Amino acid sequence: MKHILLTIAYDGTNYNGWQRQPNGMGIQEKIEEACYKIFRQNLKVIGASRTDTGVHALGQRALIHVDTNIPEDRIPYALNSVLPEDIVIRDAKEVCEDFHPRYSAINKTYYYQILNGRFPIPQYRKISAFISSHLDIDAMHEAAQYFVGTHDFAAFCSTGGSAKTTVRTIYRASVQKEGPFVTFKVTGNGFLYNMVRIMTGTLIEIGLGKKEPSDIKQIILSKDRNLAGKTAPPQGLTLIEIQYEE
Amino acid sequence: MKHILLTIAYDGTNYNGWQRQPNGMGIQEKIEEACYKIFRQNLKVIGASRTDTGVHALGQRALIHVDTNIPEDRIPYALNSVLPEDIVIRDAKEVCEDFHPRYSAINKTYYYQILNGRFPIPQYRKISAFISSHLDIDAMHEAAQYFVGTHDFAAFCSTGGSAKTTVRTIYRASVQKEGPFVTFKVTGNGFLYNMVRIMTGTLIEIGLGKKEPSDIKQIILSKDRNLAGKTAPPQGLTLIEIQYEE
């Protein structure tokens, strides 16, 4: 039995999020179907992160326990040959038995892309949120620095999450112009339910001048979800990387 | 009667190209439908460029002759309110009576995006072509310089075009890395049927080492379509700008 860690990119547009579910199609289920076609075994694909409906990934990770002779560097090609074109396995690597894709992770990085201009660009409508009003990028970047550190992020968490604690550590956060987008990029040891999207919604209010950058500090301390901004729409969010210890 | 020049962006994925047609849906027809809803007149939308099925635009132009009191700066908002989300009017500007969107154009610019890496990125599958083999970008850029100038581009033209002459002038051409893409960008006074896609297919052969950059010179001189590369797939191509004299 081998323990294989997959790195996965997907366009989340046509899925009901990562997780297998009774109503709707999860990306997890599609990969389990592909594993059955290639390995002829009913495998459980254990994801590192539960992305929501419409959220994308460049570097989702998932573990499979599988009995196979296919060399690890051929596994992506084998699985991709039977996966739909909106899911791509980018890497497969053998890991030790006690590895867990979620608990062994040391950090995760997301970005949130905002298209900021007079009119939307149709080609990017499914990988970004659109805002026509002027955004003050410097103020947003300044505000994002208040996220850095270990804080109780209860104010940045939707109800419905299963986390035991709302304390998380953010290592890096930035807001900058990248091509046609204003991009919020954030790295932390973990994220609460909807946390990056609520952070983004709050940064947008700061960008629009409705809040001051330093308000982030008070919002964190309040632990009050009502003081933070709206949950930004899912299609702007992409899980870009999950890192593990070597 | 006003003469209004529209600037249009679209995601061409779900259309059978720009042109209205008996079988399938053209972008032109969608805009004519939108014009009817807003202006209550059956207008002909006269496009500057006939993009093919699956080809995109950021800066297509089209002319309408319309009797309206809607100020020109409000026309994009009015039309966008009834257009599908994959077509966006970015600008509307009154022009003089003898203006023609095609014949008055002084140049057009396209880019072709190639995703070059071990695996495709699903988010970009509809706005780029994918090539996994290594591409020599410097050789491709060098090759592209042979396109610059006034040449008979018969070798870079698919049959089925309606052009009277196959002579065109290319003002600028470049191949460079832009984010995840290798991007071929080309500006000319006009382009033959499939010309940019055949140029791209030929540059790809050069990038793969199957042809030398200087081969472009011979291919142009030959006027033989069989000597140029394959027609690159449509989804990598975007019409980005059409310029007119002030």
Side-chain angles (χ1 to χ4, degrees):
Chain A
M1 185 70 79
K2 287 179 185 167
H3 315 287
I4 304 284
L5 180 65
L6 304 172
T7 304
I8 309 156
Y10 47 80
D11 173 349
T13 306
N14 297 322
Y15 297 95
N16 295 94
W18 166 260
Q19 200 158 19
R20 178 187 267 276
Q21 54 197 270
N23 304 311
M25 177 54 73
I27 292 139
Q28 182 184 29
E29 185 173 347
K30 280 284 175 200
I31 299 173
E32 288 173 349
E33 286 174 6
C35 284
Y36 183 78
K37 287 178 189 163
I38 296 301
F39 303 119
R40 290 286 152 195
Q41 296 157 56
N42 278 312
L43 302 179
K44 180 130 176 76
V45 173
I46 306 154
S49 197
R50 294 180 191 174
T51 57
D52 285 334
T53 300
V55 171
H56 314 292
L58 291 172
Q60 170 71 292
R61 305 274 203 159
L63 186 70
I64 53 173
H65 303 288
V66 62
D67 191 9
T68 182
N69 291 322
I70 303 176
E72 59 182 27
D73 65 331
R74 302 312 301 169
I75 289 176
Y77 297 98
L79 290 173
N80 289 338
S81 73
V82 295
L83 277 166
E85 61 175 7
D86 50 8
I87 303 175
V88 172
I89 309 296
R90 298 176 59 191
D91 191 51
K93 193 174 141 179
E94 201 167 346
V95 292
C96 59
E97 196 180 356
D98 63 352
F99 180 95
H100 190 284
R102 194 156 56 236
Y103 307 130
S104 305
I106 54 173
N107 69 57
K108 295 179 183 177
T109 302
Y110 284 87
Y111 63 52
Y112 194 101
Q113 297 188 134
I114 301 163
L115 188 77
N116 186 218
R118 252 185 95 198
F119 296 106
I121 299 178
Q123 288 84 330
Y124 301 134
R125 71 192 186 283
K126 288 174 179 171
I127 57 166
S128 61
F130 173 68
I131 292 181
S132 60
S133 305
H134 172 76
L135 290 177
D136 182 338
I137 297 172
D138 291 341
M140 292 169 76
H141 181 74
E142 186 189 336
Q145 304 321 305
Y146 289 96
F147 292 135
V148 177
T150 301
H151 305 289
D152 185 335
F153 283 102
F156 294 88
C157 178
S158 292
T159 52
S162 56
K164 286 175 196 141
T165 161
T166 48
V167 174
R168 292 291 182 278
T169 300
I170 299 299
Y171 301 115
R172 285 183 298 280
S174 65
V175 177
Q176 58 189 67
K177 191 97 177 79
E178 282 190 9
F181 304 113
V182 174
T183 303
F184 169 48
K185 196 170 167 184
V186 60
T187 301
N189 66 347
F191 292 91
L192 302 166
Y193 186 46
N194 281 346
M195 181 166 157
V196 183
R197 290 166 57 191
I198 300 170
M199 285 172 148
T200 304
T202 310
L203 291 175
I204 288 170
E205 293 193 4
I206 289 159
L208 295 171
K210 294 180 184 172
K211 283 187 169 71
E212 294 297 313
S214 59
D215 289 350
I216 296 288
K217 205 173 167 177
Q218 300 308 318
I219 298 168
I220 292 173
L221 288 172
S222 77
K223 302 178 195 174
D224 181 355
R225 170 68 190 88
N226 297 314
L227 296 190
K230 284 181 194 156
T231 306
Q235 74 275 11
L237 187 62
T238 299
L239 169 58
I240 55 175
E241 196 180 10
I242 300 174
Q243 289 193 316
Y244 299 95
E245 284 181 55
E246 277 310 305
Chain B
M1 184 71 76
K2 287 178 185 168
H3 315 287
I4 304 285
L5 179 65
L6 303 174
T7 305
I8 309 156
Y10 47 82
D11 172 350
T13 306
N14 297 322
Y15 297 95
N16 294 92
W18 166 260
Q19 201 160 16
R20 178 187 267 275
Q21 55 196 271
N23 305 309
M25 177 54 73
I27 292 139
Q28 181 185 29
E29 184 173 348
K30 279 285 174 200
I31 299 173
E32 287 174 350
E33 287 174 7
C35 284
Y36 183 78
K37 286 179 189 163
I38 296 301
F39 303 120
R40 291 286 150 193
Q41 295 157 56
N42 279 312
L43 302 180
K44 179 128 176 76
V45 173
I46 305 153
S49 198
R50 293 179 191 176
T51 58
D52 285 334
T53 300
V55 172
H56 313 293
L58 291 171
Q60 169 72 293
R61 305 274 203 157
L63 186 70
I64 52 173
H65 303 287
V66 61
D67 191 10
T68 182
N69 290 322
I70 303 176
E72 59 182 25
D73 64 333
R74 302 313 300 170
I75 288 176
Y77 296 97
L79 290 172
N80 289 338
S81 73
V82 296
L83 277 165
E85 61 174 8
D86 50 8
I87 303 175
V88 173
I89 309 297
R90 298 176 58 192
D91 191 52
K93 194 173 140 179
E94 201 166 345
V95 291
C96 59
E97 196 179 357
D98 63 353
F99 181 95
H100 190 283
R102 194 157 55 235
Y103 306 130
S104 305
I106 53 173
N107 69 55
K108 296 179 183 178
T109 301
Y110 284 87
Y111 63 52
Y112 194 100
Q113 296 189 136
I114 300 163
L115 189 76
N116 187 218
R118 251 183 95 198
F119 296 105
I121 298 177
Q123 289 82 332
Y124 301 134
R125 72 193 185 282
K126 289 174 179 170
I127 56 166
S128 61
F130 173 68
I131 291 181
S132 59
S133 304
H134 173 75
L135 290 176
D136 181 339
I137 297 172
D138 291 341
M140 293 169 75
H141 181 75
E142 187 190 334
Q145 303 322 304
Y146 289 96
F147 292 135
V148 177
T150 301
H151 305 290
D152 186 334
F153 283 101
F156 295 87
C157 178
S158 292
T159 51
S162 56
K164 285 174 197 145
T165 161
T166 47
V167 174
R168 293 291 184 277
T169 300
I170 300 299
Y171 302 115
R172 283 183 300 281
S174 65
V175 177
Q176 57 189 66
K177 191 97 179 79
E178 283 191 7
F181 305 113
V182 174
T183 303
F184 169 47
K185 196 169 166 184
V186 60
T187 302
N189 67 347
F191 292 89
L192 302 166
Y193 185 44
N194 281 346
M195 181 166 157
V196 183
R197 290 166 56 191
I198 300 169
M199 286 172 149
T200 304
T202 310
L203 292 175
I204 288 169
E205 294 194 3
I206 290 158
L208 294 172
K210 295 180 183 173
K211 283 188 169 71
E212 293 297 313
S214 60
D215 289 349
I216 296 287
K217 205 173 165 177
Q218 300 308 319
I219 298 168
I220 292 173
L221 287 172
S222 76
K223 301 179 196 173
D224 182 354
R225 170 68 189 88
N226 298 313
L227 296 190
K230 285 182 195 155
T231 305
Q235 74 276 11
L237 186 61
T238 299
L239 169 58
I240 55 175
E241 196 181 10
I242 299 173
Q243 288 194 316
Y244 298 95
E245 285 182 57
E246 278 311 305

